[in-house]
Amino acid sequence: MMIQVSQESIINKMSASNLACVFGVNLVWPRHGSISLNALTPINIFTEILIEHFNTVFGSRCPPAQVTP
C-alpha cells in the first residue's frame, strides 16, 4: 500500500507528495481524452490527502488485518 511506502520516506524518498505525483494522474485518468495541465496540481493534492489519511478514508472498507496503525 502507498501509505506503507510513504511511512518509509526517510529511506526511500517516496513521501505522500512524491507518490501522489507518480500515481495521482493514473488514478483519475479519464476513459476518453486527456487531463489538462491545470488539473495536475488539484489531482496531486487530492491523491496526497488520500494517501496521508488512508485509514480514515478507507479504514471501514478494509478487513481489520489490513488497516495499519
Side-chain angles (χ1 to χ4, degrees):
M1 286 191 269
M2 284 190 264
I3 184 71
Q4 293 169 325
V5 173
S6 71
Q7 290 170 344
E8 300 294 330
S9 64
I10 292 172
I11 296 166
N12 64 26
K13 308 297 185 216
M14 292 306 290
S15 64
S17 178
N18 289 343
L19 288 166
C21 290
V22 173
F23 292 104
V25 78
N26 293 301
L27 294 174
V28 296
W29 195 262
R31 289 181 185 242
H32 304 288
S34 61
I35 295 175
S36 73
L37 292 176
N38 293 333
L40 291 179
T41 299
I43 289 169
N44 289 346
I45 291 169
F46 172 73
T47 306
E48 183 177 353
I49 290 168
L50 288 178
I51 294 168
E52 289 176 343
H53 300 282
F54 175 85
N55 292 332
T56 303
V57 175
F58 300 106
S60 64
R61 295 182 183 182
C62 294
Q66 292 182 357
V67 176
T68 57

